[in-house]
């Protein structure tokens, strides 16, 4: 690492004007580096235009916005992610439209009515496919920008633990005795790190807003509780090349959204279980301090994009420890079980009613297998690659449970996280179904006995005295 904190020092090449340049360099601090480490001023990389060093050949009309963004980067004093910047970048990304040229648009009354009717019909169909009651108190139609606004609070919960790890490591790469001396620069680095994370996350969320069709596409409840949300514009794009009537596409996706809502509304521990798994995985991430030290040592304030590129290129990697492997398996399994249950339940509800049910199911499975919104976003934001094969395994397991135990027996597994299948059970779904079936009847019996109370004890034999008789006999013995 350079002796000069964060690599500020001599420019990489000799001045073009020979001895005259050397004199200027001596006047500005000799061998200790330029008086202005950012390269502003005559002789710096910006030449006559001091702004060129940081903003390149920027259109003068955009300088105000550029200065505003720079000010936000350097003045940010919040948490590990600059969420104001993330929101701004996400909104800008949405406003640019998707690669196919589709621009975001406000939702009209007709689209709101279509979404409301689709969700209501979907809920009616799901009543036959699951024992969990409706979880959607209302149905809403969102534009892409509205999806960004509604889901950012949840992204904060997901991403902050990982960003916190990187932010802490940025302070650890300096020796302890140097950290006090480099306080202002370290603060600037953290501010810029928060801005870079904000930019990266904002871009990811903005791109995702152009792909998702509802609030639960990634298997997590990103929207407000009790609101089934669909994005009409993205649903139209999704079904454009499928040769399936648009109303069937909308209804099938409404079934998936409503099924997710039922699960998250009536399994109260599920949300915290999933988010806890994400946080547990984040705790096991170790930051490559050698790489970070190298990046910080060569950090050039004239090119802050280098820090963002470093964050995107493997700055943090999961530790190869039993605890981290267990956290990863727990998270992948939990997400697969949620998606597999929804897949099985929706197929059961749609198959008898929609001629395109099989085609839509396979389209969504392939979308997930090729990365899809979930895989890309998790890989970008928390360094997690989801294994698509787990979805099919989980769906097969839930279908087997339905055949073996019926709808009530299948859905009863959600009563407690310890009752859910494990990663190894996904490899052998039939084994799990048959191995656990007897245990559940015994568990139900035990719960029934506990709930009946002492005055209604079952299974008393003729020869066994009741509690009051025992008490009388004990009293007689005491006399």
């Amino acid at each position: 690492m350079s002796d000069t904190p964060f690599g500020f020092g001599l420019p990489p090449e000799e001045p073009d004007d020979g001895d005259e340049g050397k004199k200027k360099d001596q006047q500005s601090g000799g061998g200790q580096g330029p008086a202005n480490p950012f390269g502003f001023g005559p002789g710096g990389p910006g030449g006559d235009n001091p702004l060129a060093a940081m903003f390149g050949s920027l259109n003068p009309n955009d300088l105000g916005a550029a200065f505003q963004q720079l000010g936000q980067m350097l003045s940010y004093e919040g948490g590990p992610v600059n969420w104001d910047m993330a929101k701004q970048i996400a909104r800008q990304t949405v406003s640019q439209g998707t690669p196919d040229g589709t621009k975001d648009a406000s939702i009209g009354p007709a689209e709101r009515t279509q979404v409301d009717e689709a969700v209501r019909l979907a809920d009616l169909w799901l009543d036959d496919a699951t024992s969990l009651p409706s979880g959607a108190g209302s149905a809403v139609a969102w534009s892409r920008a509205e999806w960004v606004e509604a889901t950012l609070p949840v992204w904060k919960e997901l991403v902050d633990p990982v960003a916190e790890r990187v932010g802490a490591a940025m302070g650890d790469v300096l020796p302890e005795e140097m950290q006090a001396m480099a306080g202002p620069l370290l603060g600037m680095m953290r501010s810029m790190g928060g801005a870079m994370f904000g930019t990266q996350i904002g871009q990811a969320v903005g791109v995702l807003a152009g792909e998702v069709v509802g609030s639960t596409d990634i298997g997590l409840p990103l929207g407000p509780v009790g609101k089934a949300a669909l994005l009409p514009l993205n649903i139209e794009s999704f079904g454009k090349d499928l040769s399936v009537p648009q109303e069937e596409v909308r209804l099938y996706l409404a079934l998936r959204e409503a099924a997710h809502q039922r699960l998250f509304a009536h399994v109260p521990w599920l949300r915290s279980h999933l988010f806890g798994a994400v946080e547990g995985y984040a705790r096991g991430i170790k930051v490559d301090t050698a790489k970070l030290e190298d990046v910080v040592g060569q950090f050039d304030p004239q090119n802050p994009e280098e820090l963002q590129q470093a964050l995107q290129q493997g700055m943090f990697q999961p530790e190869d420890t039993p605890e981290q492997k267990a956290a990863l398996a727990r998270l992948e399994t939990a997400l697969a079980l949620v998606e597999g249950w929804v897949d099985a339940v929706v197929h059961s509800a749609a198959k008898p009613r929609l001629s395109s049910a099989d085609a839509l199911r396979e389209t969504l499975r392939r979308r997930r297998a090729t990365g899809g919104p979930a895989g890309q976003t998790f890989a970008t934001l928390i360094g997690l690659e989801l294994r698509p094969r787990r979805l099919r395994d989980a769906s097969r397991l839930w279908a087997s449970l339905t055949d073996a135990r019926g709808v009530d027996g299948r859905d009863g597994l959600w009563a407690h996280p310890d009752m859910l299948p494990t990663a190894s059970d996904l490899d052998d779904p039939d084994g799990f179904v048959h191995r656990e079936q007897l245990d559940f009847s015994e568990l139900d019996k035990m719960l029934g006995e506990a709930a009946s109370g002492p005055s209604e004890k079952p299974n008393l034999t003729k020869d066994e005295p009741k509690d009051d008789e025992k008490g009388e006999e004990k009293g007689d013995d005491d006399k």
Side-chain angles (χ1 to χ4, degrees):
M1 182 172 174
S2 168
D3 292 335
T4 311
F6 300 104
F8 294 162
L10 286 171
E13 59 264 343
E14 290 293 328
D16 292 334
D17 47 359
D19 294 338
E20 187 66 21
K22 291 179 183 177
K23 291 179 183 178
K24 291 179 182 178
D25 186 75
Q26 291 168 358
Q27 293 172 2
S28 63
Q32 301 303 315
N36 186 345
F38 290 90
F40 293 168
D48 293 334
N49 180 5
L51 299 175
M54 181 160 287
F55 302 118
S57 56
L58 193 65
N59 188 319
N61 295 330
D62 296 331
L63 287 180
F67 272 121
Q68 183 180 12
Q69 187 170 359
L70 178 62
Q72 289 176 347
M73 291 172 63
L74 299 180
S75 64
Y76 178 69
E77 297 179 352
V81 178
N82 187 331
W83 286 102
D84 291 336
M85 180 165 286
K87 178 179 176 180
Q88 177 184 343
I89 296 295
R91 293 293 298 262
Q92 289 174 353
T93 304
V94 164
S95 67
Q96 292 169 2
T98 51
D100 63 1
T102 305
K103 297 284 188 179
D104 194 19
S106 300
I107 303 300
E111 292 168 317
R112 297 185 191 279
T113 300
Q114 289 171 348
V115 167
D116 185 66
E117 291 176 350
V119 171
R120 280 194 293 171
L121 183 56
D123 255 337
L124 287 175
W125 290 2
L126 288 172
D127 285 340
D128 296 331
T130 175
S131 61
L132 299 180
S134 174
S138 61
V140 292
W142 283 341
S143 66
R144 294 166 179 170
E146 288 172 328
W147 183 89
V148 168
E149 295 280 351
T151 62
L152 270 181
V154 180
W155 288 118
K156 188 176 188 299
E157 291 184 57
L158 288 171
V159 177
D160 270 351
V162 178
E164 186 68 49
R165 297 280 297 173
V166 177
M170 293 179 77
D172 295 339
V173 297
L174 286 178
E176 201 171 316
E177 62 273 11
M178 291 183 62
Q179 290 189 18
M181 298 173 56
L185 293 177
L186 191 59
M188 182 190 74
M189 284 293 296
R190 285 177 175 163
S191 295
M192 296 192 73
M196 294 306 177
F197 258 116
T199 301
Q200 181 183 354
I201 293 162
Q203 289 172 343
V205 171
V207 171
L208 195 61
E211 301 175 358
V212 294
V213 294
S215 70
T216 54
D217 275 30
I218 68 167
L220 293 170
L222 296 179
V225 176
K227 281 190 176 182
L230 295 176
L231 282 72
L233 183 60
N234 291 356
I235 291 175
E236 182 180 352
S237 298
F238 174 82
K240 184 169 55 176
D241 299 321
L242 295 182
S243 300
V244 175
Q246 189 70 22
E247 56 271 17
E248 288 196 20
V249 174
R250 186 188 308 112
L251 188 49
Y252 191 87
L253 297 176
L255 280 166
R256 288 183 52 82
E257 178 73 10
H260 277 104
Q261 293 294 334
R262 289 186 180 224
L263 194 58
F264 288 115
H266 299 290
V267 182
W269 55 265
L270 181 57
R271 187 183 190 279
S272 59
H273 178 75
L274 286 168
F275 281 69
V278 173
E279 188 171 352
Y281 177 81
R283 280 198 301 269
I285 289 176
K286 70 175 182 180
V287 177
D288 188 342
T289 52
K291 182 182 288 188
L292 182 59
E293 183 174 347
D294 183 60
V295 170
V296 170
Q298 301 179 23
F299 174 70
D300 180 4
Q302 302 165 21
N303 187 17
E305 291 81 4
E306 288 180 358
L307 183 59
Q308 182 178 355
Q309 292 171 2
L311 292 174
Q312 294 174 333
Q313 295 174 1
M315 183 62 69
F316 43 85
Q317 299 293 337
E319 287 185 297
D320 189 20
T321 63
E323 294 79 10
Q324 180 66 354
K325 289 179 179 178
L328 177 59
R330 188 165 59 250
L331 176 56
E332 289 180 330
T333 302
L335 288 169
L337 289 173
V338 169
E339 286 301 286
W341 182 88
V342 168
D343 181 76
V345 167
V346 168
H347 184 70
S348 175
K351 177 70 172 174
R353 300 176 174 95
L354 292 178
S355 59
S356 57
D358 289 334
L360 289 169
R361 183 190 204 189
E362 189 59 30
T363 298
L364 286 163
R365 282 182 166 185
R366 289 180 181 177
R367 187 187 191 209
R368 187 68 175 269
T370 56
Q376 294 167 5
T377 303
F378 271 89
T380 300
L381 300 185
I382 64 175
L384 172 64
E385 293 282 356
L386 297 178
R387 291 176 293 179
R389 69 180 180 85
R390 299 280 83 179
L391 170 59
R392 291 182 184 268
D393 295 339
S395 181
R396 188 169 68 251
L397 183 144
W398 289 118
S400 298
L401 282 168
T402 307
D403 294 339
R405 305 184 193 176
V407 169
D408 291 344
R410 177 201 65 199
D411 294 346
L413 285 172
W414 292 105
H416 192 277
D418 291 343
M419 297 166 68
L420 288 177
T422 63
S424 59
D425 293 325
L426 293 181
D427 297 325
D428 181 22
D430 292 333
F432 173 81
V433 170
H434 297 299
R435 183 178 70 248
E436 296 291 330
Q437 191 166 12
L438 181 60
D439 294 342
F440 271 90
S441 62
E442 291 298 319
L443 180 60
D444 290 340
K445 181 178 177 182
M446 292 170 59
L447 292 174
E449 291 175 358
S452 64
S455 61
E456 301 177 11
K457 282 190 175 180
N459 298 329
L460 290 177
T461 64
K462 292 181 180 179
D463 296 329
E464 184 178 355
K466 297 179 181 178
D467 288 343
D468 54 352
E469 293 175 355
K470 286 182 180 179
E472 290 174 3
E473 289 175 5
K474 184 177 180 182
D476 292 340
D477 292 339
D478 292 339
K479 289 180 181 178

